[in-house]
Amino acid sequence: NVAIKNLVDFGLSSIAFGLIGFTIAFGASWNGVLGVSPPSLESPRELTFFLFQLMFCGTATTIVSGAVAERMRFSGYLVVASLISLVIYPVSTHWAWGGAFDGTSTGWLSQSGFVDFAGSTVVHVVGGTTALVACVIIGPRKGRFEGRWTGNTHNVPLAMVGVLLLWVGWYGFNGGSTLALNDTVPRVMVNTTMSAVGGMLAALTLSWILAGRPIVGDVMNGTLAGLVAVTAGCHAVDLPGAVCIGAIGGLLATLATRALEKLRIDDAIGAFPVHAVAGVWGTIAVAVFGNPLLLGTGLGPASQLIVQLKGIAACGLWAAFAGWGLIRLAGFLVPLRVSAEEEEIGLNVAEHCAHTELDDLLGQMEEHRATGDFSIPLRTESESEVGQVAAQYNRVLERIVAQQNLLVTSYMDIEAQNTQLQEMQSTLRLQIDDLECFNRTAVERELRMSELKDEINELLVSDGG
C-alpha cells in the first residue's frame, strides 16, 4: 500500500507540479509571493532544471505517505498528495527559491538573505509539517496507544536497504543543487556523507542510553536526520561542522520521536522528527556553522540567524495552516480513513486485494485453526521459502490427520464395545430379574409347605394321634 502510494503520488505530483505548481514556484514573481506566468521550457538547461525540481516536489509530497501508513485510504491520500503538489509546496518554494530558474532572487525570503541550499526547510520542514498535520487529523492506528503496543511486523532489512538508497540518492539531491558540475560539488558530497555518519552514530548512542540497547529504527532515522539537517548548508560548512550538524540532527530526531509517542501522535515512520525537526535544526545551523563568504548573503551570524528563523517560521506555519485546511477539504471530498475492519485485515488486501504467498499461507492456516478440519492440505510452491514452509506444514498435517484417524478408529471400537457391554448388561438384568422371580416363587412354595405341615400336624392331634 505504501509502495504504490509512493509510485502514484510521484505521477500525480509530476502532473500537478508540471502544469501549475512549477509556474507558482518559478514563474515571474508577484510581489515575491507567487509565480504568475509559466517559465519557458525549451533549452536543455531549462528542461533539466524542471526535471530536477520535479524530483524535489515528489520528495516533499511522499513524506506524508509513511507517516499515515496503515490507516489512510488510498483515494484520500491521492487527493492530499495532489493538493500538496499544487499549492503547499510551490508557494513556499517560490518564497525561498523564486527566481532560481533564471539565476535571480525574486522570492521574498531569498531577497532577505534566507539560505536553504537543497531544501531542509523548503522540502523537509514543509513535507514533515504537513505529515504531522495529517497524522493529527486522521488519528492513530487502532491500538497504537492502548495497552502494550508491539507494532506491526515489517521487513526491517528492506527498510535498511531503503535508507541506503536514500543516502546514495542524497548525493544527487544535494550535489545537484549546485546546478552545475563545479568545485563546490566535492564539498557538498563529503559534507553530506559526514553529516549522515554523525546522525547515525549520535542516534545509535542515544537510543542505547535510553533503551538499554541499540534500536534499529532510531539508527536508520538518525542517519536520515543527518542527511536532512546538512541539506540546507552543505555547500558552506566545513567537515567538523557537517558532523556536528548531523549528530545534533540525529539526537533531535530520536528525542522528537519519543515526544510524539508521549503526545499520542502516531507518526508511523517518524516522518516529522526526521524531516521537520531535523530540517529546522539544519536551517538554523546555516547561521551557526556556515562560512559567511560561502553563504554570500552579506549578513553577519546574528542577522543570518534571524533570517533563517523567519524562513522556518514562514514555511512551517504555511505548511501547518494550509495543510490543515486542505486536508480537511480533502476529507469532505473523499473519506480519509479506512474502516476498522479494513485496518484490521491490512490495506494491502483491503484496498488493493494484493495477496502474497505469506498472506495466503496465513489465511489457510487460520481456516484450519477456526474449523479444525485438517483434511485439505495447503497449496504449495516448492520454489519459494513460503512454499517450503507450507510443504513442511502439510507433512505435519499428514501426521495430525493420521493421528485423528487412529483416534476415530479407537473411538469407534470403544463405542462398539460399549454397545456390547450395554447389551450384556441388559441381558444380565433380565436374568437377574428371572432369578429374583424364581427365588420369590421358591420362598412362597416353602412357606406353603410349612403351612401344610402345620395343618397336617393339627389334624393328627385332633384325631388322637
Side-chain angles (χ1 to χ4, degrees), residues 280-318:
V280 166
W281 157 242
T283 308
I284 292 173
V286 169
V288 178
F289 292 97
N291 184 331
L293 295 178
L294 295 177
L295 292 176
T297 61
L299 300 175
S303 300
Q304 188 68 56
L305 178 60
I306 292 173
V307 172
Q308 297 300 106
L309 292 173
K310 184 196 305 183
I312 293 167
C315 293
L317 291 173
W318 164 251

Side-chain angles (χ1 to χ4, degrees), residues 116 150 184 240 303 347 385:
D116 187 7
T150 58
T184 303
S303 300
L347 303 193
E385 292 181 355

Side-chain angles (χ1 to χ4, degrees), residues 247-452:
I248 295 174
L251 295 175
L252 291 175
T254 303
L255 294 173
T257 299
R258 285 155 176 76
L260 287 184
E261 293 175 357
K262 290 186 179 297
L263 294 171
R264 301 174 71 88
I265 297 174
D266 185 14
D267 183 345
I269 64 169
F272 177 76
V274 168
H275 295 278
V277 174
V280 166
W281 157 242
T283 308
I284 292 173
V286 169
V288 178
F289 292 97
N291 184 331
L293 295 178
L294 295 177
L295 292 176
T297 61
L299 300 175
S303 300
Q304 188 68 56
L305 178 60
I306 292 173
V307 172
Q308 297 300 106
L309 292 173
K310 184 196 305 183
I312 293 167
C315 293
L317 291 173
W318 164 251
F321 286 103
W324 185 275
L326 291 175
I327 292 173
R328 285 293 188 188
L329 174 63
F332 288 112
L333 300 176
V334 293
L336 293 182
R337 180 152 188 159
V338 298
S339 66
E341 294 76 15
E342 291 172 322
E343 185 176 347
E344 184 69 26
I345 65 175
L347 303 193
N348 291 348
V349 175
E351 295 239 279
H352 313 290
C353 212
H355 294 267
T356 65
E357 279 187 282
L358 184 58
D359 290 329
D360 293 337
L361 173 65
L362 295 176
Q364 293 176 76
M365 293 172 69
E366 172 61 21
E367 185 176 353
H368 282 169
R369 185 203 66 79
T371 63
D373 180 7
F374 303 111
S375 61
I376 302 176
L378 302 182
R379 297 184 297 275
T380 63
E381 294 182 14
S382 58
E383 294 80 9
S384 68
E385 292 181 355
V386 173
Q388 293 171 6
V389 172
Q392 183 63 31
Y393 180 82
N394 284 339
R395 285 190 284 271
V396 175
L397 284 186
E398 291 175 2
R399 184 66 178 272
I400 292 174
V401 170
Q403 292 295 322
Q404 280 185 329
N405 291 337
L406 181 60
L407 289 173
V408 169
T409 301
S410 300
Y411 176 78
M412 293 177 65
D413 290 341
I414 293 172
E415 283 293 307
Q417 293 175 5
N418 187 44
T419 301
Q420 291 177 353
L421 287 173
Q422 289 178 349
E423 291 175 352
M424 292 173 63
Q425 187 179 25
S426 298
T427 301
L428 183 60
R429 175 60 62 187
L430 290 174
Q431 292 175 349
I432 291 173
D433 290 343
D434 290 342
L435 182 59
E436 289 177 348
C437 183
F438 177 80
N439 288 336
R440 283 196 301 271
T441 303
V443 170
E444 291 174 355
R445 186 182 298 114
E446 288 180 1
L447 289 173
R448 182 58 181 162
M449 290 295 293
S450 177
E451 290 175 354
L452 288 174

Side-chain angles (χ1 to χ4, degrees), residues 51-120:
L51 182 63
F52 188 66
Q53 293 300 327
L54 197 64
M55 303 302 116
F56 277 60
C57 180
T59 300
T61 302
T62 202
I63 290 172
V64 179
S65 65
V68 295
E70 301 177 352
R71 76 269 200 199
M72 187 173 189
R73 194 174 299 277
F74 184 70
S75 56
Y77 173 76
L78 296 185
V79 173
V80 171
S82 299
L83 293 174
I84 294 172
S85 305
L86 281 171
V87 181
I88 299 176
Y89 175 76
V91 170
S92 57
T93 298
H94 186 83
W95 295 349
W97 292 343
F101 183 73
D102 54 12
T104 62
S105 295
T106 57
W108 69 273
L109 279 178
S110 62
Q111 289 178 345
S112 67
F114 179 69
V115 175
D116 187 7
F117 182 71
S120 287

